[in-house]
Amino acid sequence: MNSPLIATSCYSLSMLTLSMPLFLPTSPTLHLLTKSAVKTSFFISTLPLFLLVNENFQTTTISWKWFFISSTTLNFSVQLDPYTIMFTPIALMVSWSIIEYSLWYMHDDPKIRLFFKYLLTFLLAMMLLVSAGNLITLFIGWEGVGIMSYLLIGWYFTRSNAGAAALQAVLYNRIGDIGFLFTIFWLASSFDSLDFNYVFTMNTPTPLIIAFIIAAASKSAQFGLHPWLASAMEGPTPVSALLHSSTMVVAGVFLLIRIHPIIEHNQTALTICLCLGAISTAFAATCALTQNDIKKIIAFSTSSQLGLMIVAIGLNLPFLAFFHISTHAFFKAMLFLCSGTIIHNLGDEQDIRKMGGLQKSLPITTTCITIGSLALMGTPYLAGFFSKDAIVEAINSSNANAWALIITIIATSFTAVYSLRVIYFTSMNFPRFNPTININENNPTSTNPIKRLAIGSIISGWIIYQILIPPSPITLTMPTHMKFSALLVTLLGFLVALDLARISWTMVPTQNPSKSINTSFYPLIIHRLTPSLFLNFSQYTSSHLIDTLWLEKLGPKGIANSQLPPIKMNQDVQHGLIKVYLSILVISLMICLIFLQLV
């Protein structure tokens, strides 16, 4: 059997099917066609996955010569390797569920067809990014998800917050794009090639790898470039689900997985990845603890899990980062869709303190929130356990510094705390919302996608664990306390959170720790204090320059001061002494006459 040919044909057919609705932009049923296209594309994309499992199919690259710049040939290159073949069906299944859910969530929107065009273009850009065979193709997909995220986050652009959030996402991503462009220009000028296979054989300098890490940090919302992620919640809930599960935010981690061969022997780059990931996962988990908006809690949990993936890159284990991307896509998309159902039913209420008792009125949604939160915690044998536990075990048994290890373990514990908080405040005890609200989840268009993702959140970890073969030997034996460390800290966090949730349900805390641990200081410093400082300094400088240079030295005052000395000299000469003037005139005339006669 010609496996590469079959895989290439299936992939091409899958992408063609996916893009078909874009050729019918005026169709009144465009949104339904989009759902069918993504669904069909998912089933087609599973065939290369079966080839990967049965025949150990490795890598195929398809290249087209695109254009030339001086001596550099730029190819449009697509690469089908195990990462592409595994991630494509996962992304398509998650997107299929989200797009079907959008049919229910956005059914009242007058521009629903445009919304589905945006979603489809967004997905196509992500597929291009995942299957790119060189950096220029990857950059096209990278910019594609960037601009589509801007359009989708700012969907409700009449709200000033939505417009600001969309602009914020673009501006933060520009920082990473500068790093990415720097690497492309450097590689094109030094190596005359942007193909991965060629770049991996070269000795790349550390600053170049750091530029790649900056690009990944901005796209994957790592510490320092993270505020845009929580702001992106201003978009519709399906956008949040698609953005934070299988697309946009994992693009940065995927870039690092792709370029890992040039990172693996560079200790500086590995240390930066490890420390950046550890700080990000701990800080984002702490932010999630202090939030009351359900979507922002889930958004910060995404940032925390992305930090954990970067930690796996820093440990030289990119396949574990990929494993966590794959499992995380299912339960994170499901958590967002469940939160969307709750928000929709409670009249656009997002504060978890105004929910409660929903296990009776929304049984499917609250059950799936519980499954998703347990998977996020790393509960044994759910999807998150297989990948998350493996990363924590890897950091325990590695030579990583103790500081990175400790804060990663603390972040793992915090995951249990905020996950239980979401479960407790949405599902349990009695309702805290207006009794006149009409609640139902009888529409299969909203519940079926959530059920599919719930099944994925339960079984996907075990399935991917069977398929994904680690490229390097992994530690199989370790002391019991190290093996159980992730589970023990998660259990500890769970029990502490349960106790705190019970107390805070009936009694408002007199000393609220979330007020003293204010994690919003970073956006305040970056978005308010720093610009204010620069603007005030600029105003002070420019006004002083105008006052001292233009007005004092060159302007009206300067001209006046330059004219005063000759005026004063003239005044000294002109004293009004008529006798002296006439005498000077007579003497001058006589001298002239004498001179003329002599001549």
Side-chain angles (χ1 to χ4, degrees), residues 36-219:
S36 303
V38 176
K39 180 180 176 181
T40 310
S41 189
F42 159 67
F43 285 115
I44 296 169
S45 70
T46 53
L47 295 174
L49 186 60
F50 291 134
L51 286 174
L52 176 71
V53 174
N54 290 328
E55 302 190 17
N56 199 20
F57 167 70
Q58 287 305 310
T59 304
T60 301
T61 305
I62 312 158
S63 249
W64 294 273
K65 281 188 180 176
W66 196 7
F67 60 93
F68 301 90
I69 298 176
S70 184
S71 60
T72 307
T73 306
L74 293 179
N75 298 326
F76 187 86
S77 186
V78 172
Q79 175 177 295
L80 297 182
D81 65 344
Y83 288 142
T84 305
I85 290 167
M86 282 188 65
F87 188 75
T88 302
I90 291 167
L92 287 170
M93 184 188 171
V94 170
S95 302
W96 165 31
S97 301
I98 292 167
I99 283 170
E100 185 177 342
Y101 179 87
S102 302
L103 292 171
W104 170 77
Y105 194 88
M106 304 293 289
H107 72 280
D108 283 338
D109 199 295
K111 292 189 175 180
I112 187 168
R113 287 185 297 166
L114 182 64
F115 181 77
F116 275 79
K117 280 181 209 168
Y118 284 176
L119 283 184
L120 196 56
T121 312
F122 188 85
L123 184 58
L124 280 165
M126 189 62 199
M127 292 296 99
L128 183 63
L129 186 148
V130 169
S131 59
N134 62 14
L135 284 168
I136 196 74
T137 313
L138 198 148
F139 189 68
I140 295 165
W142 181 274
E143 286 301 301
V145 293
I147 192 64
M148 294 317 297
S149 69
Y150 170 75
L151 293 170
L152 287 164
I153 293 166
W155 182 254
Y156 300 125
F157 56 87
T158 49
R159 293 208 312 253
S160 60
N161 283 352
L167 194 60
Q168 195 175 315
V170 165
L171 291 175
Y172 272 103
N173 279 291
R174 288 308 94 186
I175 298 167
D177 294 344
I178 291 165
F180 204 142
L181 281 169
F182 168 77
T183 59
I184 288 176
F185 295 150
W186 193 93
L187 290 167
S189 61
S190 300
F191 297 159
D192 269 350
S193 176
L194 297 172
D195 290 341
F196 288 131
N197 295 332
Y198 185 81
V199 172
F200 295 160
T201 59
M202 295 296 163
N203 185 20
T204 46
T206 303
L208 192 77
I209 301 171
I210 292 171
F212 271 126
I213 294 169
I214 291 168
S218 78
K219 194 67 87 177

Side-chain angles (χ1 to χ4, degrees), residues 8 32 35 49 77 85 102 130 147 241 277 374 386 407 419 422 434 437-438 446 484 499 518 532 545 564 592:
T8 307
L32 300 172
K35 190 203 91 169
L49 186 60
S77 186
I85 290 167
S102 302
V130 169
I147 192 64
L374 290 172
F386 289 93
I407 64 171
S419 297
V422 169
N434 193 329
I437 287 173
N438 180 27
S446 70
F484 283 99
D499 202 35
N518 186 4
S532 175
L545 286 172
L564 278 172
C592 287

Side-chain angles (χ1 to χ4, degrees), residues 352-353 355-357 424-426 428-432 500-508:
I352 57 170
R353 295 169 298 182
M355 296 177 186
Y424 199 89
F425 277 85
T426 55
M428 299 172 79
N429 286 357
F430 49 84
R432 287 180 162 188
L500 288 173
R502 280 177 182 156
I503 293 167
S504 60
W505 180 268
T506 52
M507 185 172 64
V508 177

Side-chain angles (χ1 to χ4, degrees), residues 242-272:
L242 194 60
L243 216 75
H244 291 75
S245 59
S246 55
T247 54
M248 180 81 173
V249 291
V250 298
V253 182
F254 204 89
L255 172 68
L256 292 181
I257 293 170
R258 270 277 180 258
I259 62 154
H260 186 259
I262 64 173
I263 298 178
E264 63 183 338
H265 300 302
N266 190 309
Q267 209 52 50
T268 308
L270 292 173
T271 306
I272 290 170

Side-chain angles (χ1 to χ4, degrees), residues 98 101-102 105-106 115 156 233 235-243 295 335-341 343 350:
I98 292 167
Y101 179 87
S102 302
Y105 194 88
M106 304 293 289
F115 181 77
Y156 300 125
M233 295 300 101
T237 302
V239 172
S240 303
L242 194 60
L243 216 75
K295 282 178 75 176
L335 284 170
F336 271 114
L337 298 190
C338 290
S339 70
T341 303
I343 291 163
Q350 294 187 201

